[in-house]
Each structure stands twice: as structure tokens, then as C-alpha cells.
Amino acid sequence: MNVSDVICFDILVSAMKAENQSFGTDFLLVGLFQYGWTNSLLFVIIATIFTVALIGNIMLIHLIRLDTRLHTPMYFLLSQLSIIDLMYISTTVPKMAVNFLSQSKTITFMGCEIQAYVFLALGGTEALLLGFMSYDRYVAICYPLHYPILMSKKICCLMVACAWASGSINAFIHTMYVFQLPFCRSRLINHFFCEIPALMSLVCQDTSHYEYTVLLSGLIILLLPFLAILASYARVLIVVFQMSSGKGQAKAVSTCSSHLIVASLFYATTLATYTKPHSLRSPTRDKVVAVFYTIITPLLNPFIYSLRNKEVTGAMRRLKYDFRTLY
């Protein structure tokens, strides 16, 4: 950053502090890194990750849609996860990437509110959906004869609808409450997107009671599904190791381990953000942790599920063969 850029930045911040803090005042995003990185290099890295994540999730969605052998409850839920990840990474990364090359790091009040709501809704939906996916594997391995009844098409649709509705309602309540609070401090958000915990540091009134509400929501939306996942897979592993078939053991462990890798990464980082008291927060650490559940998880999901799953890799080979035969 040269001298002129520093001067412009200081002028912009000073102007924002001096102006009337009205409802329509824009916010200013600090970004992922403040010093020591070349913005052009960061833009290339983030844009590449974003593109790979989009291609991976879109390919997995279309693969599940085109191959009839993947028209099962497990892959229906997996396709929903890919749809969520597509929207999830698209909510934060494009704005962050543009800010690397832009002199203006501002985001409008309404834009910040929409971004916070959509991000929170998608995050809550994914947290619940991962829990339902573990239930699917639990039923498939522990109660295979009852699987067609316990995981019927109607029940799968109800699970997905419940996840979307719960995540959206939770996000609506928190977003509406936070954005009606008085932002009487600097509008400088020390983050790369509008996230509720980062916005709370800008509020000038006491928010200690609301922090308990955020903690309660985090325990319900994040911790309970994570505990359910751990409990269900503990039961699955017991059943798996009682199997006499080595092939069945390998298949079950492969499926469950891939899910556990993604789930652990997602829940551990989100819990670290949404259940931590405001007094213990570090903006730099919070931004690094946020990278894992906003960028890394949506990037890894399609590849972990495809590369570690024989049914998905088989479907990819069949699709490739059909394409070559057609042309």
C-alpha cells in the first residue's frame, strides 16, 4: 500500500466516523489481511478456490441428478449439501475478492444485513443437514431392513424442509434484532464479511443478555447435531466391527469417515466462533477460523464425498464412458 492509498484510507475512515450514524450509513470491511500480502495475489488465490469449489459442487449435483443409481436418500441429502455450499461460498467470497482489487471496501447497510441473514441461514441449514445425513447412515448400517421405511422419500423431504425452515427462522430472528441496535461506534468491521459476532463489537449498548441468546442458539443449532453425529457414528462403528465381511467394514468406514472429517471441521470452527464470549474474542483469530467454515468446507465437501466414495467415482466413470460413446 503506497502513501496515497494510506491517506485515502484515513480520510475515508475519518469521514465515516464524522458523519451522522444514520440507518443508511455504509459499513467498511477491513478484509482478511491488512498487512504483508499483495492484493493481486490474494485475489488470484481466492478466485481460484472459489472457482474450484463451484465446479466441484456443480459437478456433484449434476452427477447425482443424471445417474439413477445415485437416486437414494443418502445422495439426495448430499445434493442438498452441495446446493447449500454453492450458495454459502457465493455469499461471502465474491465480495471479499472484489475488495482485494477495489479502493472502496464499503458495503451498504442493507447489503450487510442481507449478507448476514443469508450466511446465517445457510450455516444453520447445513449444521442441521449434516446431522440428518448422519442419521441416514446410522439407519442404513444399523437397521438396513427398516431403511426404506425410515428413510422414505417423504421423510427425506421433511428433513430437508425442516433444516431449511429452522435455519431461516433462526437467522431472521438474529438478523432483525442485531440490525435494529444502535451502531454508535465506528462503522469499521474488522472482518471480511458481515458476520453477527463481528458486528456486535460496533454496538454501543450492553449486549450481554443477547450473547446468552447467541450461545443458546449455537448449542441448539450446532452442538446438538454434532453430538448426534458423534453418537450415531459411535453406534455405527460398533455395528461395523461386529460384521464378518471385511468388504462391508471397509465400505462403511469409508463412508462414515468422510462425513466425520467434514462435520468435525465445520462444527469445531463454527462452535469456536458462536459460543465464545465477546471478551475472549480476537478479530484476527476469528477471521482465520471463519476461513475454514466459509471457504475450506465448501471446497472440500464435493471432493471428500466423491474421491472417498466408490459409488460416486463409479458414476463419474459411467458418465465419462457415456459421453465418449455419444461423441
Side-chain angles (χ1 to χ4, degrees):
M1 181 178 289
N2 55 42
V3 176
S4 61
D5 289 337
V6 173
I7 295 175
C8 291
F9 181 84
D10 290 338
I11 292 174
L12 178 59
V13 174
S14 300
M16 291 184 67
K17 290 181 178 179
E19 69 179 346
N20 179 32
Q21 301 294 321
S22 62
F23 179 83
T25 303
D26 293 347
F27 291 100
L28 186 67
L29 295 169
V30 170
L32 185 57
F33 297 104
Q34 292 177 263
Y35 309 104
W37 284 79
T38 303
N39 286 342
S40 299
L41 176 61
L42 282 172
F43 175 80
V44 172
I45 293 173
I46 295 299
T48 302
I49 293 175
F50 178 67
T51 303
V52 173
L54 286 185
I55 294 174
N57 282 289
I58 290 173
M59 287 183 62
L60 188 56
I61 292 170
H62 282 289
L63 189 65
I64 294 172
R65 184 180 65 87
L66 295 174
D67 197 309
T68 55
R69 300 184 189 183
L70 300 182
H71 291 179
T72 63
M74 173 183 172
Y75 292 105
F76 171 70
L77 296 176
L78 180 56
S79 66
Q80 290 294 313
L81 179 64
S82 290
I83 292 172
I84 292 172
D85 283 337
L86 272 176
M87 300 171 65
Y88 201 49
I89 197 170
S90 299
T91 303
T92 58
V93 172
K95 176 62 177 174
M96 178 176 63
V98 169
N99 284 349
F100 286 137
L101 301 181
S102 174
Q103 294 296 326
S104 173
K105 315 293 184 182
T106 59
I107 182 171
T108 64
F109 185 95
M110 183 60 67
C112 187
E113 188 172 15
I114 292 173
Q115 186 184 57
Y117 167 74
V118 173
F119 177 81
L120 200 59
L122 292 172
T125 303
E126 178 162 344
L128 295 172
L129 186 64
L130 288 171
F132 289 137
M133 291 175 68
S134 71
Y135 171 77
D136 169 76
R137 291 300 85 205
Y138 167 74
V139 174
I141 294 173
C142 298
Y143 302 97
L145 297 179
H146 297 87
Y147 185 77
I149 299 174
L150 296 176
M151 288 300 297
S152 64
K153 183 177 181 180
K154 181 178 180 181
I155 292 177
C156 286
C157 291
L158 285 174
M159 285 181 173
V160 172
C162 177
W164 278 100
S166 300
S168 300
I169 293 172
N170 177 69
F172 180 80
I173 293 172
H174 285 287
T175 305
M176 289 298 101
Y177 178 80
V178 169
F179 280 86
Q180 57 84 34
L181 295 173
F183 295 100
C184 52
R185 296 178 184 175
S186 167
R187 290 298 179 100
L188 190 66
I189 303 175
N190 195 356
H191 213 311
F192 57 89
F193 71 102
C194 291
E195 190 173 26
I196 296 297
L199 287 164
M200 295 307 296
S201 62
L202 307 182
V203 178
C204 60
Q205 73 178 38
D206 180 33
T207 59
S208 57
H209 293 292
Y210 175 67
E211 286 187 30
Y212 289 114
T213 305
V214 175
L215 176 62
L216 179 61
S217 296
L219 294 177
I220 295 174
I221 300 293
L222 298 172
L223 185 59
L224 287 183
F226 189 40
L227 292 177
I229 290 174
L230 295 178
S232 63
Y233 281 130
R235 176 58 181 166
V236 165
L237 289 176
I238 293 174
V239 173
V240 164
F241 286 107
Q242 290 175 346
M243 294 179 178
S244 58
S245 171
K247 184 178 180 181
Q249 290 181 2
K251 181 179 179 181
V253 170
S254 176
T255 302
C256 295
S257 62
S258 63
H259 188 192
L260 275 176
I261 291 172
V262 177
S264 298
L265 180 63
F266 177 79
Y267 287 110
T269 52
T270 50
L271 283 168
T273 297
Y274 286 92
T275 61
K276 184 186 299 181
H278 181 72
S279 58
L280 300 179
R281 293 188 176 279
S282 167
T284 302
R285 184 168 58 247
D286 288 345
K287 286 189 286 187
V288 173
V289 171
V291 168
F292 285 94
Y293 58 82
T294 58
I295 301 175
I296 304 300
T297 300
L299 172 67
L300 293 180
N301 274 344
F303 299 103
I304 288 179
Y305 279 107
S306 60
L307 296 178
R308 295 178 60 85
N309 191 302
K310 293 182 179 180
E311 293 177 341
V312 174
T313 54
M316 292 177 66
R317 285 193 296 267
R318 288 191 295 271
L319 185 63
K320 185 178 180 180
Y321 175 79
D322 293 340
F323 180 83
R324 287 180 176 179
T325 304
L326 182 63
Y327 293 97

